[in-house]
């Protein structure tokens, strides 16, 4: 069965610090990988996605993620976070069926 | 253009009552999904529609939950005889078609069962 693990449940950073959020998935076939973000009071928005090709994908707001097939990982990174990045981040996988399987989410708090 | 819309935004109901939650997908999107977001369970898939048919209902937690979609557009999620554990935010998403994995989410309906 497909599953997604996010190891960091709550991350607190100061502005300008670098960010890396871990995501590991379990699925034997071809996967499509996503990071979604939920800002306070807002709905889920797509941050970036990986379907195929270059394993380093760039998304909105300076975020990027690297797909490492051998490690079943799709970690999210940002070199320098801002206060406005405070949000909850969800990693998700979509395999043969069209449903998204989400990780438990990581709450990021960026202190000014 | 308009995104996915859901109504009501909030619903408080008494245990045992039935509720209906509505989703309007993005115009032209043929695939529609329902998810549930709760404190204990995180984000869970409920059901997926392609057109008016539901190829995957595997996430519906019990037979009290049902969903339909008519005209290939609006969808209704119905919960019968609500229980307190049904309290959650119910999210709807749509995508262009079954081959498009990029899903766009609505704002959700917060359901509270008292």
């Amino acid at each position: 069965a497909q599953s997604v693990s996010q190891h960091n449940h709550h991350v607190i950073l100061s502005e300008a610090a670098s960010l890396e959020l871990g995501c590991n998935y379990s699925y034997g076939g071809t996967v499509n990988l996503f990071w979604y973000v939920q800002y306070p009071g807002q709905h889920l928005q797509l941050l970036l996605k990986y379907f195929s090709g270059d394993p380093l994908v760039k998304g909105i707001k300076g975020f990027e993620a690297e797909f490492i097939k051998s490690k079943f990982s799709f970690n999210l990174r940002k070199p320098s976070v801002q206060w406005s990045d405070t949000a909850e981040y969800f990693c998700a996988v979509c395999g043969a069926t069209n449903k998204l399987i989400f990780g438990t989410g990581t709450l990021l708090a960026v202190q000014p | 253009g308009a995104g996915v819309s859901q109504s009501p935004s909030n619903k408080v109901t008494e245990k045992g009552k039935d509720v209906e939650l509505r989703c309007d997908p993005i115009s032209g999107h043929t695939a529609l999904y329902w998810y549930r977001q709760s404190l204990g369970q995180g984000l869970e898939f409920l059901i997926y529609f392609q057109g008016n048919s539901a190829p995957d209902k595997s996430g519906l937690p019990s037979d009290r939950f049902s969903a339909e979609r008519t005209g290939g557009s609006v969808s209704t999620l119905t919960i019968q005889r609500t229980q307190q554990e049904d309290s959650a935010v119910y999210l709807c998403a749509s995508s262009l078609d079954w081959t498009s994995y990029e899903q766009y989410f609505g704002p959700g309906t917060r359901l509270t069962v008292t």
Side-chain angles (χ1 to χ4, degrees), chain B residues 14-101:
Chain B
E14 292 179 353
K15 179 180 169 181
K17 297 283 177 98
D18 298 351
V19 294
E20 282 190 355
L21 312 179
R22 176 188 167 107
C23 172
D24 275 281
I26 293 172
S27 177
H29 280 195
T30 62
L32 185 148
Y33 313 80
W34 283 98
Y35 296 86
R36 179 168 73 171
Q37 187 174 22
S38 57
L39 279 176
Q41 303 297 324
L43 272 157
E44 306 172 276
F45 167 81
L46 297 177
I47 187 170
Y48 151 58
F49 286 93
Q50 177 54 41
N52 292 335
S53 64
D56 192 346
K57 307 178 185 179
S58 62
L60 294 177
S62 76
D63 58 8
R64 295 187 295 105
F65 287 72
S66 63
E68 64 175 15
R69 190 178 185 198
T70 54
S73 181
V74 171
S75 175
T76 302
L77 177 69
T78 301
I79 309 173
Q80 295 178 309
R81 305 180 302 282
T82 52
Q83 303 293 314
Q84 287 188 328
E85 62 262 28
D86 300 334
S87 295
V89 177
Y90 289 82
L91 297 172
C92 178
S94 70
S95 65
L96 191 59
D97 57 35
W98 70 274
T99 66
S100 170
Y101 296 103

